[in-house]
Amino acid sequence: EAQVTQNPRYLITVTGKKLTVTCSQNMNHEYMSWYRQDPGLGLRQIYYSMNVEVTDKGDVPEGYKVSRKEKRNFPLILESPSPNQTSLYFCASSPWDKNTGELFFGEGSRLTVL
Amino acid sequence: ELKVEQNPLFLSMQEGKNYTIYCNYSTTSDRLYWYRQDPGKSLESLFVLLSNGAVKQEGRLMASLDTKARLSTLHITAAVHDLSATYFCAVDSTSGTYKYIFGTGTRLKVLA
């Protein structure tokens, strides 16, 4: 089954404790990206990657890091989480060719930073 | 800067009625997307609109794109309760960067 898998789905942590949210896709998509969803703000792009070792900032990259060492994986790293990073996070992938940039989303990861 | 605005933000409508959600974007983009999100769930793709004048229909939903006006519409015909969800439009950037910008979403509630 074609899918994007995120882990963990739910996480409660404390300020300053490094954490990683993993994302993996099995569709051989070139493009992967991370979003955070907050009430009233829609989805905002954090980082995206067009290919292995190619990453770039979205609109809200502060406080986050990413890496793309393999095509299928795109982890999101919070080196020193703060309460304002409490949010619902989505990973998505796309074939991103001239015909489409349609996104396929993971199930989401709800993060609470105390 | 690429911005996307949707209106209305909230929409409560009776079953059987028609309504339109509007999506305006600020700079040139030839690719526009509509997604649906059910409460507590992830997003799923509804429509991909790739060119000026594109129109796509699925069931009671029809989406259109006017790139000259930088406007897309999502028209709901004879609404049913199952259409209750949040609808997002989004555009991507294919020139220079590969950013993806979402609107703030329209929360639709269809009342029986």
Side-chain angles (χ1 to χ4, degrees):
Chain A
E1 180 189 355
Q3 59 186 0
V4 178
T5 304
Q6 294 179 228
N7 280 296
R9 295 285 314 280
Y10 303 91
L11 179 64
I12 301 174
T13 190
V14 295
T15 299
K17 187 176 182 181
K18 180 180 178 180
L19 68 91
T20 299
V21 187
T22 63
C23 176
S24 181
Q25 51 98 1
N26 62 1
M27 295 170 278
N28 201 36
H29 285 167
E30 301 289 335
Y31 187 90
M32 296 186 75
S33 54
W34 277 101
Y35 304 84
R36 61 177 289 172
Q37 183 176 21
D38 302 290
L41 297 177
L43 276 81
R44 294 179 292 167
Q45 190 177 49
I46 302 171
Y47 271 95
Y48 62 90
S49 169
M50 279 302 295
N51 212 329
V52 175
E53 303 293 0
V54 180
T55 64
D56 208 346
K57 297 176 181 178
D59 281 344
V60 288
E62 295 79 19
Y64 305 94
K65 286 176 57 178
V66 292
S67 68
R68 186 99 181 265
K69 293 182 169 48
E70 303 167 281
K71 193 172 185 178
R72 62 183 292 126
N73 296 324
F74 191 46
L76 179 70
I77 303 157
L78 286 73
E79 293 271 3
S80 183
S82 62
N84 65 11
Q85 292 178 298
T86 292
S87 188
L88 177 59
Y89 291 87
F90 287 101
C91 178
S93 69
S94 173
W96 201 284
D97 56 28
K98 64 181 172 74
N99 293 319
T100 186
E102 180 184 17
L103 293 174
F104 296 81
F105 284 87
E107 292 300 305
S109 296
R110 185 167 293 280
L111 170 65
T112 301
V113 183
L114 302 175
Chain B
E1 183 185 355
L2 188 56
K3 290 186 178 179
V4 179
E5 293 184 349
Q6 279 181 246
N7 67 83
L9 298 183
F10 299 97
L11 178 54
S12 180
M13 56 191 298
Q14 297 289 329
E15 275 193 331
K17 298 293 187 183
N18 303 333
Y19 208 83
T20 300
I21 299 170
Y22 297 89
C23 175
N24 290 90
Y25 54 99
S26 61
T27 62
T28 302
S29 176
D30 290 330
R31 309 198 315 182
L32 189 133
Y33 309 87
W34 285 95
Y35 293 89
R36 169 181 171 146
Q37 185 180 35
D38 291 309
K41 302 291 187 183
S42 185
L43 286 83
E44 61 175 331
S45 176
L46 290 175
F47 300 110
V48 179
L49 302 170
L50 299 177
S51 60
N52 188 43
V55 177
K56 290 197 174 178
Q57 183 161 6
E58 179 75 32
R60 300 174 188 274
L61 300 177
M62 184 175 71
S64 65
L65 177 62
D66 180 344
T67 58
K68 291 182 173 58
R70 297 177 185 167
L71 171 68
S72 179
T73 60
L74 181 66
H75 186 73
I76 303 156
T77 301
V80 294
H81 180 71
D82 284 352
L83 290 178
S84 297
T86 299
Y87 294 86
F88 293 93
C89 65
V91 297
D92 64 15
S93 172
T94 56
S95 54
T97 75
Y98 299 92
K99 287 187 173 183
Y100 215 102
I101 309 294
F102 280 82
T104 51
T106 296
R107 186 182 295 179
L108 170 65
K109 187 171 184 179
V110 181
L111 305 172

